[in-house]
Amino acid sequence: MKLLSIASTIICTFQLASADWQYRSRSDLAPPRLNITISAEGTSPGYLFVAPFSGFPDVGNSHGPRQAAPYIFTDKGELVWSGFSYFSIWATNFQAGRVNGENVLFSFEGSHNPGYGHGHGHITFLDENYETVKELRAGNHKIIDKHEFHIIDEKTGLVQIYQPVPYDLSPYGASKKQQWVVNAIFQELDIETGKVLFEWSSLDHVSPYESVLPINEGQAGAGFNSSDAWDYFHINSVDKDKEGNYLLSARDAAALYKIDGKTGEVIWKLGGLPGITTSDFKSEKNLTFSFQHHARYLRTSEDGSKQIISFFDNSAHGTENKNGKQVSYNSASSGKIVEVDTKNKKATLLFNGVAPYGLLAKSQGSTQVLPNGHVLVNWGSEGAITEFDSEENPIFHAFVDSGSLGEHAENYRAFKFNWTGTPHESIAVASYVTDGGSNIYVSWNGDTRTEEWEVFSVDSNGDKNKVSTAKRSGFETKIHLPGEIYETVVVQAFDKNRKFLGESAQVKIQDEILPYREAEVETFVDDLQPVLSWKQTYFDWRKLSF
Ligand SMILES: *[C@@H]1O[C@H](CO)[C@@H](O)[C@H](O)[C@H]1NC(C)=O
Ligand SMILES: *[C@@H]1O[C@H](CO)[C@@H](O)[C@H](O)[C@H]1NC(C)=O
Ligand SMILES: *[C@@H]1O[C@H](CO)[C@@H](O)[C@H](O)[C@H]1NC(C)=O
Ligand SMILES: *[C@@H]1O[C@H](CO)[C@@H](O)[C@H](O)[C@H]1NC(C)=O
């Protein structure tokens, strides 16, 4: 008896992978329910790509998604694909991309150390059937970290590596016992062969003096041993432009660096904190940023003297003033677009998408400029996503899970992509007796083509008889068939041109005995509106003359 009650306590406390009965055809799935708080007309076409997970599950029963995994959603909050069980261990930075002409999904997959913000693993690629087609590891006997994988020209991949090394840290305020530092490394890999085409290491080019993260006892990264190495630079993104030069976001230097693609030398540094960081540019007053993520080149002028870049400005850090407390420089995080003018040594803020609800992300985050000029910003540790139109208005906002599960949900990066999925998983069907009729539930995890379902009853000879045609609605379609109880059914899928796509297994009808509550399965859409307190200046950076 005693043992049993301990077991049930454990089960109640860790409801991690338990099914939540959102979908009767997929009682194995318990995806996060997006809490959509802003939902205006005119969002960009495309699906949302996220990988929500539980941050620190240490308060009450708030613990993030039941099934932390990569997911594809519509911006109405409908599930398109649950990647739960597709990746082992922990997965993040989930995206769609193209490699050598093929559409792929990819994600970091590996172990995760949330306290230090590091991961160890590899990049896993899936094809349009959601089958694993490749894994990519770093070269030169190093281990890929979770922060970056970025495809260049469909051929190469940029990855970064945290490599702890012993180092004399006494000039930076460390005691004799603190002698481990993180060498922040990035590599450009040939995706096909895994060959290292370029490798760069921070200690060869950037002095620890450029860090804005002091080396202190009592905070993550105090240098006492290799797992506690001082993370003085912390590369969290790498991009490459047409000229072959790299762009780094170095969180713990609160700066962006442009790196020569041949020599590895620093071409310029854009520091985010005037008076604290050094910078090769004079920044306009409204351009302070810090502890940023996800810097991307957007455009380069013909003569190369001006570049437009985007990044996520956290303006907050979790562990790191002298007492190991949170520090912040702006009152909310933001997605930024900045013009860097190397001729006039000037940096100008062109777009500033400020977090609704004053969200301040002390870790993680991303900013994706969409083809139509909208900007999708992901608020990292705050577990939320916003789509801004090109005038900085939030037109979509969602927290990545709901209720108590939403309280500790975090999400490293979020993207919007077009995607066609042709799953090898089969069509899932559940069928229930209801008031002398049948209720059929049908879904197809990851399929993006089905427009119509056809339901057939199967008689004792195995002959099929069509009993209904129904439009697909969302992830799971409920088809109510009054007046008849069909003992066995199969369901077929058709695309918009009435092309046959697939057929489910034969499914027997069951009695309706399950504790199913409709109210719990709706996606939450609150009418809560954000406070529009920031300045609404319209500056369309796309209309610039180059
Ligand atoms: C490394 O140092 C930290 C900080 O002093 C300590 O908490 C941790 O236990 C040490 N780890 C190992 C493996 O010695
Ligand atoms: C930032 O300030 C500069 C100079 O005053 C101005 O040109 C720019 O439009 C401002 N940016 C934003 C996004 O408000
Ligand atoms: C959705 O988010 C809002 C804002 O944080 C919160 O007030 C509300 O309770 C959330 N709703 C659900 C169902 O989680
Ligand atoms: C998706 O495709 C449409 C049509 O080609 C395009 O307008 C849109 O920008 C694409 N969306 C994304 C997020 O790339």
Side-chain angles (χ1 to χ4, degrees), residues 27-48:
S27 59
D28 56 327
L29 299 182
R33 297 171 167 105
L34 300 187
N35 175 7
I36 299 171
T37 59
I38 303 172
S39 177
E41 292 294 303
T43 54
S44 161
Y47 296 117
L48 290 169

Side-chain angles (χ1 to χ4, degrees), residues 45 371 416 418:
K416 218 170 201 186
N418 289 314

Side-chain angles (χ1 to χ4, degrees), residues 53-55 89-92 108 110-120 146 364 410:
F53 67 99
S54 169
I89 331 180
W90 187 81
T92 200
F108 169 87
S111 61
H112 183 222
N113 178 343
Y116 288 77
H118 294 171
H120 285 142
K146 68 179 178 177
Q364 309 160 77
E410 302 190 358

Side-chain angles (χ1 to χ4, degrees), residues 185-205:
I185 295 169
F186 75 83
Q187 293 181 344
E188 182 167 2
L189 304 171
D190 182 297
I191 297 174
E192 200 60 42
T193 62
K195 197 174 154 221
V196 180
L197 306 174
F198 188 81
E199 181 174 303
W200 185 91
S201 101
S202 64
L203 285 174
D204 290 343
H205 298 281

Side-chain angles (χ1 to χ4, degrees), residues 207-357:
S207 151
Y209 281 120
E210 296 195 29
S211 186
V212 297
L213 175 77
I215 177 163
N216 287 321
E217 276 191 52
Q219 71 185 28
F224 286 101
N225 52 53
S226 67
S227 31
D228 186 46
W230 180 36
D231 198 3
Y232 84 101
F233 198 58
H234 192 104
I235 296 173
N236 55 27
S237 74
V238 192
D239 195 6
K240 189 183 184 186
D241 64 10
K242 292 272 176 299
E243 290 70 46
N245 299 317
Y246 300 96
L247 176 66
L248 303 184
S249 162
R251 170 171 165 85
D252 291 343
L256 306 175
Y257 292 79
K258 182 170 178 176
I259 304 297
D260 188 301
K262 293 205 176 68
T263 66
E265 246 131 69
V266 173
I267 298 174
W268 53 246
K269 171 185 180 184
L270 173 61
L273 294 171
I276 298 176
T277 58
T278 56
S279 184
D280 294 326
F281 301 93
K282 187 176 164 355
S283 289
E284 300 286 356
K285 271 222 178 59
N286 54 11
L287 180 59
T288 57
F289 63 90
S290 49
F291 312 121
Q292 75 292 329
H293 282 82
H294 198 218
R296 291 287 184 253
Y297 288 120
L298 297 179
R299 197 185 291 173
T300 305
S301 66
E302 214 132 277
D303 68 356
S305 71
K306 287 183 181 174
Q307 280 190 302
I308 295 180
I309 57 183
S310 62
F311 61 91
F312 178 72
D313 174 19
N314 293 73
S315 272
H317 204 310
T319 46
E320 12 321 285
N321 72 1
K322 282 222 179 293
N323 309 310
K325 294 225 182 77
Q326 182 168 318
V327 287
S328 56
Y329 289 97
N330 283 323
S331 58
S333 301
S334 56
K336 284 181 159 59
I337 299 177
V338 167
E339 181 194 270
V340 170
D341 177 346
T342 53
K343 214 183 271 162
N344 300 304
K345 303 262 177 235
K346 219 176 87 182
T348 309
L349 181 67
L350 303 182
F351 176 97
N352 201 34
V354 179
Y357 317 116

